[in-house]
Amino acid sequence: MTNTTPPTPAFSSASLAPARPWRSEFGATLRLSWPLALANLLQMLTYAIDVIFIARLGTMPLAASALAVSVFGLVLWAMSGLVGAVSAVIAAELGERGPALRAVRRSTRMGLWLAVISGAAGMALCLAIGPIARLTGQEPGIVTLASTYMGLLIWSMIPMLAAYVLRSFVSALGRPIFATTITAAGIGVNALANYAFIFGNFGAPELGLRGAAIATIITSLFILAAYIIAIRLDARMHRYHVFGRFWMPDWARLRTIAKIGAPIAGTITAEAGLFAAAAFLMGSIGAVQLAAHTVALQIAALAFQVPFGVGQATTIRVGYFYGARDRAGMARAGWAGIGIGTGFMVITASAMILFPKALLSIYVDPDAARNAALVAFALPYLAIAAAFQLADGLQAVAAGALRGLQDTRVPMIIAIFAYWVPGFGTALLLGYATSLSGVGVWIGLASGLLAAAILLTWRWTRREKLELTRRAGPKIAPFAQTT
């Protein structure tokens, strides 16, 4: 049955056949990108607030929380990639058949199902924090604290993943500002909850490190509830009734999302593993080098949140045209995203070269004598970070464009190869077998990102020859069905 209802404003007729297609596409991508990028930056601030409060408890609780969060964050990030594939599926459905009310509702419903299933699996994985910590030689006291903290923290995973699915839904529907607003509100809730439950304020019990975990649970539930309320109150989104008949399965759609999302989770794990391995390499070289590495990497991570948001937006924009089977539109959306993401990284790379000490001052006092050694190591690391900013932005958005074409398996293979063969291989060789030491490790990181950028962009440029733009007829439940 053909749906004749006009497309949702998130993918309007103007975006299908604009008078100035390239100008229109750049504008549409920017409007979708900046709220997502800002939400990513605000999310980092949320984590920073946790550290600020926990640090007041002392060194042991801070070390234990850092250990637990390193495991929890990796699992959560990977699972977010898995469930986040729903954005590509929804975008294609919107591009293919107007508002696609039933199709989008079913995809969102199955995305939420997948959030629950993968979240439960992720909780089980995180409970291995004790054996992992003991295997890596952590102090027994830290292991005990980390296990206790993790035992509570894991209960925030399913709400976080469900909220990520709803974030993908509102973004695909042209409401990315909700992601920004809700994340910003979550910062306030997180700060108040930490203040209350860590130190026993506002009549709450004084729970110390356990209070920080409870604050995270409260914040995750608040954010999930905020998305539900926003969807209920917004007329455009409410008409999809995404929570209707939540118990009804659509196994084909669930498999579609999982098939697209599993390689994304694999890619995330490969990249996170590279940077974790680099930290271990730096730690074996020296404590000061590791500290300098951590500070420089935090600056690079802040800058990366913008092309990461652009990549998310590019997935949606390319997905719209992929669903509409508009190959020229796919090309415009992909190259517009790549241009915006890379252009921003030119700015951040220039800042790292021209104003490195100003950037370091975000985290440390670069003029203090006690930080002289750290700064001496961090400055060359930032110079290399400036070089890999372009590669990092390019590979993030190119991967996002390919995800819009629902192409994730080969990009995962590319990422694993790039990060671990030229990337970690170069870091290991130059870091240990030459006098470059820490600089050699950073050259290895840059090599991995550059290899990924070249190979992913090459695949994007060959999308037609590889028949990546060819969308077959619907393999999931047809629009005409009633649930």
Side-chain angles (χ1 to χ4, degrees), residues 371-424:
N371 295 327
L374 185 151
V375 171
F377 284 115
L379 288 175
Y381 298 165
L382 274 182
I384 300 170
F388 80 52
Q389 288 291 288
L390 299 178
D392 206 9
L394 180 57
Q395 65 95 17
V397 185
L402 291 169
R403 288 169 190 169
L405 301 177
Q406 301 184 10
D407 177 42
T408 57
R409 188 179 63 85
V410 173
M412 177 190 69
I413 295 171
I414 288 173
I416 293 172
F417 166 78
Y419 297 149
W420 285 95
V421 179
F424 185 71

Side-chain angles (χ1 to χ4, degrees), residues 246-267:
F246 188 78
W247 60 90
M248 294 288 292
D250 188 330
W251 301 116
R253 217 171 281 264
L254 182 65
R255 286 192 296 270
T256 297
I257 298 170
K259 182 179 179 180
I260 297 170
I264 300 175
T267 300

Side-chain angles (χ1 to χ4, degrees), residues 239-250:
R239 63 177 178 159
Y240 286 85
H241 297 287
V242 294
F243 307 111
R245 299 190 178 184
F246 188 78
W247 60 90
M248 294 288 292
D250 188 330

Side-chain angles (χ1 to χ4, degrees), residues 64-303:
S65 68
L67 185 63
V69 168
S70 66
V71 175
F72 180 85
L74 174 58
V75 175
L76 177 66
W77 191 18
M79 296 304 179
S80 297
L82 174 65
V83 302
V86 73
S87 63
V89 176
I90 291 174
E93 289 165 344
L94 291 171
E96 184 173 37
R97 42 191 170 184
L101 300 180
R102 293 178 179 87
V104 170
R105 175 166 60 248
R106 290 177 172 200
S107 293
T108 306
R109 180 197 303 162
M110 289 301 99
L112 291 170
W113 275 43
L114 190 58
V116 174
I117 296 168
S118 62
M123 291 171 68
L125 288 172
C126 288
L127 288 176
I129 180 68
I132 292 172
R134 285 188 287 271
L135 186 64
T136 55
Q138 306 298 319
E139 295 181 20
I142 291 178
V143 174
T144 300
L145 281 174
S147 298
T148 301
Y149 180 64
M150 182 70 88
L152 289 171
L153 185 64
I154 57 173
W155 294 103
S156 66
M157 181 166 291
I158 291 177
M160 286 182 178
L161 292 174
Y164 197 82
V165 172
L166 297 182
R167 167 179 160 152
S168 299
F169 167 75
V170 302
S171 299
L173 266 291
R175 292 287 198 259
I177 192 63
F178 282 122
T180 309
T181 305
I182 291 171
T183 305
I187 292 174
V189 172
N190 189 48
L192 289 173
N194 272 298
Y195 181 70
F197 288 97
I198 292 178
F199 306 112
N201 295 303
F202 305 133
E206 183 178 350
L207 300 174
L209 187 58
R210 289 181 299 151
I214 290 173
T216 301
I217 296 171
I218 291 171
T219 304
S220 66
L221 291 172
F222 167 81
I223 290 174
L224 177 59
Y227 274 112
I228 293 171
I229 293 169
I231 291 169
R232 176 63 182 84
L233 296 180
D234 184 88
R236 181 195 302 176
M237 295 189 296
H238 177 58
R239 63 177 178 159
Y240 286 85
H241 297 287
V242 294
F243 307 111
R245 299 190 178 184
F246 188 78
W247 60 90
M248 294 288 292
D250 188 330
W251 301 116
R253 217 171 281 264
L254 182 65
R255 286 192 296 270
T256 297
I257 298 170
K259 182 179 179 180
I260 297 170
I264 300 175
T267 300
I268 289 171
T269 303
E271 183 173 7
L274 170 66
F275 284 95
F280 278 100
L281 290 180
M282 296 297 291
S284 67
I285 292 171
V288 178
Q289 289 92 327
L290 177 58
H293 167 85
T294 302
V295 172
L297 198 59
Q298 280 297 307
I299 294 170
L302 276 174

Side-chain angles (χ1 to χ4, degrees), residues 7-93:
T8 175
F11 185 60
S12 64
S13 58
S15 65
L16 277 169
R20 297 180 179 179
W22 281 99
R23 180 177 178 179
S24 175
E25 187 55 47
F26 270 97
T29 302
L30 281 170
R31 286 191 297 273
L32 190 55
S33 296
W34 76 260
L36 295 175
L38 183 55
N40 294 337
L41 289 167
L42 290 172
Q43 188 63 59
M44 291 193 70
L45 181 57
T46 303
Y47 297 142
I49 286 175
D50 288 336
V51 173
I52 290 170
F53 278 100
I54 294 172
R56 295 179 63 184
L57 295 173
T59 302
M60 289 281 284
L62 181 60
S65 68
L67 185 63
V69 168
S70 66
V71 175
F72 180 85
L74 174 58
V75 175
L76 177 66
W77 191 18
M79 296 304 179
S80 297
L82 174 65
V83 302
V86 73
S87 63
V89 176
I90 291 174
E93 289 165 344

